[in-house]
Amino acid sequence: MQVAPRRTGEWWISPAIPAVANAALASLWAFTAFGGWGEQAFCGVDSAHDPTCATGFENAVLSSLAVVIPAVVIMVSALVLRRVRHYPDRLGMMLTAAAFLWVGAEGIVFLGGYLAQPS
């Protein structure tokens, strides 16, 4: 990773930074959605577990897939397509866009889980 000036007044950030951010955000979303973190946080555990809340949280996860799928497509295409991979500006731009989509997916899961909580 490096941050270095390209020309006078212009800074360049290595594409490794948004790539690592994408990996971290994707892992966070996966553990929240499918690893039980989100359901446990919003719907309780053991005897306090609310099945209605769990269904609402599952709906939130399914809703977040509308944002996750484009994020995955952007990440994979940015790393596979040669015309993107060999140009750091394009690669960084695409990976940054995917990172923002991951943040949006986390927001959907969080908001959906919050709304699914029993009153």
Side-chain angles (χ1 to χ4, degrees):
M1 283 187 276
Q2 61 178 315
V3 177
R6 275 194 174 174
R7 291 175 268 197
T8 306
E10 186 176 325
W11 288 86
W12 176 74
I13 297 175
S14 172
I17 294 171
V20 169
N22 275 303
L25 289 166
S27 298
L28 178 65
W29 179 85
F31 285 127
T32 302
F34 301 115
W37 289 4
E39 189 173 335
Q40 182 178 357
F42 291 110
C43 302
V45 290
D46 298 333
S47 64
H49 188 267
D50 183 9
T52 306
C53 176
T55 302
F57 182 76
E58 184 178 319
N59 291 336
V61 170
L62 292 174
S63 297
S64 72
L65 286 175
V67 180
V68 168
I69 292 170
V72 170
V73 168
I74 290 172
M75 282 175 44
V76 170
S77 63
L79 298 174
V80 171
L81 295 175
R82 185 177 184 164
R83 63 179 176 234
V84 174
R85 193 178 59 227
H86 289 284
Y87 296 98
D89 290 336
R90 290 181 192 170
L91 181 61
M93 180 185 66
M94 288 183 73
L95 291 176
T96 301
F100 281 117
L101 288 174
W102 283 114
V103 170
E106 281 292 333
I108 291 170
V109 169
F110 178 80
L111 182 63
Y114 181 76
L115 293 175
Q117 282 182 325
S119 299

